[in-house]
Amino acid sequence: MQEDGKETPQEIKGWNWGAFIYNVFWGVGNKTYLPLLTLIPVFNIFWIFVVGFKGNEWAWQKGDYEDVETFRAVQATWNRAGLWNFIISIAIFAIYLVFFWSVLMNFFDQ
C-alpha cells in the first residue's frame, strides 16, 4: 500500500498492541490522527481493532523513519507497554469476576 508516496514495507505490517490499547495517545505520538475516532462512543468498539491492525502502516506513513529497524525499535516500546497493559487488565478482570462470584455465592447461601 502506498500513501503519501511512501511504500509500506511488508515486514512492518501486523498487529500493534500499543495502538490497540493506547489508541489516542499512540496516534498523537505517531502523528496519525485516525485513532482519535476511538473517542466516538459505540463506534470505538470496532475502531480499536482497526487501529491495532492498521497502526503500524499509519505510523510508517506519517513518520520520518530511516529504516525498518528504527521503526521497529520505536514501536517495540509501544507494543510491550500495550501488551502488558492488556495482560494486567485481563488479570484484574478475572480477579474481579472470582471475587464477585464468591460474594454472590455467599449471598445466596444465607
Side-chain angles (χ1 to χ4, degrees):
M1 178 180 187
Q2 209 168 0
E3 185 178 299
D4 299 338
K6 197 172 181 184
E7 184 71 30
T8 303
Q10 191 65 31
E11 59 267 24
I12 67 158
K13 293 180 179 180
W15 188 256
N16 187 317
W17 283 103
F20 177 71
I21 297 294
Y22 299 114
N23 39 59
V24 171
F25 303 110
W26 178 90
V28 171
N30 284 282
K31 297 180 229 153
T32 177
Y33 302 104
L34 285 171
L36 292 175
L37 293 175
T38 59
L39 297 173
I40 300 171
V42 180
F43 178 70
N44 61 1
I45 295 168
F46 161 76
W47 196 247
I48 61 172
F49 291 97
V50 173
V51 173
F53 185 71
K54 298 291 281 181
N56 283 340
E57 294 177 50
W58 295 340
W60 176 264
Q61 296 299 325
K62 299 293 182 181
D64 296 325
Y65 297 101
E66 300 166 5
D67 53 22
V68 173
E69 289 76 31
T70 305
F71 176 82
R72 285 186 146 173
V74 170
Q75 294 304 315
T77 303
W78 285 103
N79 272 311
R80 267 193 310 278
L83 181 58
W84 276 109
N85 189 319
F86 180 76
I87 291 169
I88 290 168
S89 297
I90 294 298
I92 289 171
F93 182 70
I95 290 167
Y96 171 78
L97 286 178
V98 168
F99 175 76
F100 182 73
W101 182 259
S102 68
V103 168
L104 194 62
M105 290 297 104
N106 285 334
F107 177 75
F108 285 116
D109 282 343
Q110 295 178 0

